[in-house]
Amino acid sequence: MTKVTVAALQLAFTDDIDENIARVETHVRKAAARGAKIILPPELFEGLYFCRVEDEALFATAQPVESHHAVLAMQRLAKELEIYIPTSFFERDGHHHYNSLAMIDDQGEIMGVYRKSHIPDGPGYEEKYYFRPGNSGFKVWKTKYGTIGVGICWDQWYPESARVMALMGAEMLFYPTAIGSEPYDADLDTSRMWRRAMLGHAVSNCMPVIAANRIGEEEGQRFYGHSFITDEWGDYLAEVGDQEHGALVATLDLDAARTHRAGMGFFRDRRPELYGRIAQDI
């Protein structure tokens, strides 16, 4: 299929998982009514962004993928609406904890789980306290509407992540996100850098990028939204600012992207034999 309609959700969350799931469900339904077949909620939409602080009591909120409340809810919704929902969640696997994503297909089945590869550690984003680095490797999934790759938040800053997923066959790149203000510098706004980094992935890999961020203030930390959908040129097909909530919807032409990708020659002209340094530790 040459064309697919996709959506990115942008909204604020509370500390009530049932309320958050209901909010996401409302916007998923609205996006599906507009024709979206792959719908991306933000990162860790099950609750507030808890990684602001280090609190061992919060580990109790993690659950295995097969019993996680948010994942189960999105499975039911995906089956009902016959859509795909890449679902971010706090995963417990035995004694290990991950920032993970369940790829849910249009029959409500889990196609696989991706575990966030790059884990940030800094003021307001203390993720290394909670999450092990992902051991799944990068993932792509073949859907009825094209092959998608998904990175989670901090993964989106790394061109290596996008290129590896592209080399694995991805035709679209999806990034669920929770990013906003920096507690150590109230004047620092990374929203422009954040968008530009992913626009670079679209341009360098000649494929659409879909990014879904949260909004709102959570105990002094402000999440800046600016969710968007681009085409293979890195041009915005849909975008919002730092306060709007709802679903961004756009139709992607994957055949046009494929033609553009071949014509640009970025994959033809790669020189992997020269890139050994990039896989070495500094």
Side-chain angles (χ1 to χ4, degrees):
M1 178 173 289
T2 178
K3 293 185 178 181
V4 55
T5 300
V6 302
L9 307 186
Q10 177 167 294
L11 60 157
F13 300 105
T14 73
D15 59 1
D16 184 325
I17 187 170
D18 292 319
E19 181 178 349
N20 294 329
I21 289 172
R23 290 183 181 188
V24 169
E25 179 176 344
T26 294
H27 293 300
V28 167
R29 290 186 181 279
K30 290 180 179 179
R34 295 169 63 187
K37 297 299 184 182
I38 307 173
I39 301 175
L40 180 70
E43 180 187 19
L44 297 172
F45 66 83
E46 64 207 64
L48 299 176
Y49 179 73
F50 57 88
C51 306
R52 297 178 304 100
V53 296
E54 297 183 3
D55 182 353
E56 66 179 17
L58 294 172
F59 283 103
T61 63
Q63 295 295 326
V65 61
E66 64 272 10
S67 59
H68 196 287
H69 190 23
V71 175
L72 292 172
M74 292 303 108
Q75 286 184 267
R76 291 190 293 269
L77 190 59
K79 181 177 182 179
E80 176 192 342
L81 300 176
E82 297 184 346
I83 58 173
Y84 293 79
I85 309 177
T87 300
S88 171
F89 70 105
F90 187 14
E91 181 188 12
R92 187 183 81 233
D93 181 13
H95 298 304
H96 298 154
H97 298 81
Y98 299 95
N99 186 336
S100 299
L101 180 137
M103 184 61 211
I104 300 171
D105 72 12
D106 61 348
Q107 299 304 304
E109 300 296 326
I110 296 176
M111 302 176 72
V113 172
Y114 168 67
R115 291 169 170 167
K116 187 172 180 177
S117 298
H118 302 93
I119 310 297
D121 183 38
Y125 301 92
E126 306 281 352
E127 294 199 13
K128 278 188 168 65
Y129 179 75
Y130 295 100
F131 310 129
R132 286 170 58 91
N135 58 2
S136 64
F138 297 113
K139 296 275 191 178
V140 302
W141 289 282
K142 291 184 178 180
T143 77
K144 292 178 180 177
Y145 309 102
T147 302
I148 76 170
V150 180
I152 301 173
C153 200
W154 196 232
D155 290 332
Q156 68 208 355
W157 294 92
Y158 293 83
E160 297 90 344
S161 303
R163 178 51 56 87
V164 168
M165 288 188 284
L167 290 171
M168 292 172 70
E171 299 172 282
M172 302 165 272
L173 299 174
F174 288 74
Y175 293 103
T177 300
I179 189 169
S181 61
E182 303 291 344
Y184 66 90
D185 186 350
D187 295 324
L188 178 59
D189 180 356
T190 62
S191 63
R192 296 187 305 279
M193 295 169 56
W194 175 73
R195 284 172 286 171
R196 288 169 183 160
M198 285 178 284
L199 294 181
H201 303 332
V203 171
S204 297
N205 294 289
C206 302
M207 63 183 59
V209 168
I210 300 91
N213 194 13
R214 63 174 63 202
I215 55 173
E217 185 165 315
E218 300 180 9
E219 301 184 22
Q221 191 170 16
R222 181 184 58 82
F223 292 88
Y224 54 56
H226 286 292
S227 303
F228 63 85
I229 301 171
T230 78
D231 64 11
E232 65 274 13
W233 295 82
D235 291 328
Y236 291 119
L237 298 177
E239 59 175 320
V240 290
D242 62 356
Q243 298 183 35
E244 297 94 334
H245 68 274
L248 295 77
V249 177
T251 299
L252 312 175
D253 188 332
L254 299 185
D255 277 355
R258 187 178 301 112
T259 298
H260 173 60
R261 195 158 51 246
M264 290 301 295
F266 295 150
F267 291 85
R268 177 198 63 207
D269 297 338
R270 292 180 65 250
R271 296 288 306 280
E273 71 275 13
L274 303 179
Y275 304 155
R277 181 67 182 86
I278 205 169
Q280 299 172 3
D281 289 335
I282 292 177

